[in-house]
Amino acid sequence: MEFHHVPVLKDEAIQALAIRADGIYVDATMGGAGHSVEIARRLTTGRLIGFDQDEEAIRASQKRLESFGDRVTFVNQNFKTIRSVLSNLKINGIDGALMDLGVSSHQLDEGARGFSYQIDAPLDMRMDRRNDFSAYDVVNSYSAAELERVIFQYGEERWARRIAEFIVKAREAGPINTTAQLTKLIKQAVPKGARKDGPHPAKRTFQAIRIEVNGELALLSQAVEDFVCALNPHGRLAVITFHSLEDRIVKNTFAQLAAGCVCPKEFPVCVCGKQSMGKIITKKPITAGEKELEENPRARSAKLRVFEKMV
């Protein structure tokens, strides 16, 4: 299957970056290069560095960005390595970066990857298939308490305990190998009355397991801080999130980076020495308009926040 990804909030994200033709920019999650193409075509003497831990995404991006030649550098790594990658490339500062934290349309739609509860496939969910740890390991080796923690914390699922108990009970008869098996168990665990309204009953649990498998939240705050530190003065970081946990981490990290002195108010002078690193451009997150929602329903939960470095 050809790697396909519909970029969310494309126009808003590109506008937020305020791209300079001679600047250095980073797409932290290239996917199918939907955002990257828009960045690259605005550059003349500038440079784009694109990250993705998915080898298929890198290959698709290389093909799509072929016409831009050596203006684009591809990095088949997680964006958390930004500091070491920039150091190796001998780049002292960047003028902007985009982090699109959603799972790509391609990964959801390609059955073999196991991201979707709507397609029967082996339990996988690895964004980087070089890693050994997969959804199979979470579902089949975690204790009931560990499963409940993951499903409740990362999926914000009110029936986390029942789902965890049903999974552990089912494992007594043999391993859970496929997404269809897991989806069936979740449907059995969630009471019929609770299944009437809202999203598919398996949506939150699948999201939670995917986050656990890929460590999506563990280093997000540090990565956001690393990207801001890498920015040149007046450079911008734009982050697109797709669920409340990600958005909360980004919002709080931006607030901490924007805050100056943290001394108690009664102190006559500052003794902490903490200085603000910049300002939050988006007081409220930018969300998709009606036209985009009609064309791409997956944009419904997307939120864009933007930070500008000032020092």
Side-chain angles (χ1 to χ4, degrees), residues 144 147 160-170:
L147 284 168
R161 180 170 294 180
R162 271 179 64 87
I163 293 168
E165 289 171 349
F166 271 61
I167 289 172
V168 171
K169 179 69 176 174

Side-chain angles (χ1 to χ4, degrees), residues 94-106:
I94 59 176
D95 298 295
L98 172 65
M99 301 168 75
D100 176 355
L101 301 178
V103 61
S104 77
S105 307
H106 175 82

Side-chain angles (χ1 to χ4, degrees), residues 5-268:
H5 177 55
V6 181
V8 171
L9 295 170
K10 180 177 68 177
D11 294 340
E12 294 86 347
I14 297 301
Q15 184 178 353
L17 288 175
I19 296 168
R20 290 189 1 238
D22 62 347
I24 299 175
Y25 295 87
V26 174
D27 186 342
T29 45
M30 292 190 88
H35 289 114
S36 286
V37 165
E38 297 301 323
I39 296 172
R41 64 168 47 137
R42 286 165 171 78
L43 302 176
T44 53
T45 57
R47 183 176 183 182
L48 171 64
I49 300 156
F51 283 74
D52 208 294
Q53 57 188 335
D54 189 325
E55 290 180 5
E56 289 182 31
I58 290 289
R59 284 195 294 270
S61 296
Q62 287 173 329
K63 185 177 179 181
R64 193 167 180 192
L65 295 165
E66 194 173 14
S67 63
F68 297 102
D70 58 8
R71 217 179 304 167
V72 184
T73 301
F74 300 90
V75 182
N76 186 197
Q77 294 181 33
N78 187 292
F79 58 72
K80 67 185 179 183
T81 62
I82 181 66
R83 294 177 71 174
S84 61
V85 168
L86 291 180
S87 176
N88 291 338
L89 293 173
K90 295 181 170 52
I91 294 173
N92 296 321
I94 59 176
D95 298 295
L98 172 65
M99 301 168 75
D100 176 355
L101 301 178
V103 61
S104 77
S105 307
H106 175 82
Q107 289 168 334
L108 285 170
D109 294 338
E110 188 190 4
R113 303 297 293 271
F115 286 100
S116 176
Y117 46 80
Q118 296 176 320
I119 303 170
D120 189 20
L123 277 172
D124 191 339
M125 302 193 197
R126 291 171 299 165
M127 290 182 180
D128 185 344
R129 291 202 268 196
R130 293 170 296 186
N131 294 335
D132 294 327
F133 186 67
S134 71
Y136 177 91
D137 299 297
V138 174
V139 171
N140 288 286
S141 67
Y142 278 30
S143 67
E146 288 173 320
L147 284 168
E148 180 186 353
R149 173 190 62 79
V150 168
I151 297 167
F152 182 76
Q153 184 177 342
Y154 296 155
E156 299 179 297
E157 170 60 72
R158 61 180 295 205
W159 301 105
R161 180 170 294 180
R162 271 179 64 87
I163 293 168
E165 289 171 349
F166 271 61
I167 289 172
V168 171
K169 179 69 176 174
R171 288 187 334 213
E172 294 175 3
I176 300 165
N177 295 303
T178 69
T179 56
Q181 285 176 278
L182 180 59
T183 301
K184 184 179 179 181
L185 280 171
I186 296 167
K187 284 183 176 178
Q188 291 171 347
V190 177
K192 190 175 181 180
R195 283 187 257 136
K196 288 181 180 178
D197 303 312
H200 190 287
K203 181 178 181 178
R204 294 188 182 96
T205 298
F206 268 65
Q207 170 188 291
I209 294 171
R210 189 201 82 219
I211 289 171
E212 177 72 5
V213 168
N214 296 289
E216 293 175 42
L217 298 182
L219 298 172
L220 179 55
S221 180
Q222 184 61 55
V224 168
E225 185 173 340
D226 287 347
F227 269 84
V228 170
C229 288
L231 292 172
N232 291 321
H234 303 294
R236 288 184 172 186
L237 171 63
V239 185
I240 301 173
T241 61
F242 287 83
H243 58 79
S244 58
L245 291 172
E246 286 177 338
D247 183 57
R248 198 177 307 144
I249 290 171
V250 173
K251 178 184 177 181
N252 292 341
T253 306
F254 278 3
Q256 290 165 10
L257 294 171
C261 172
V262 292
C263 293
K265 291 181 180 179
E266 59 269 21
F267 278 29

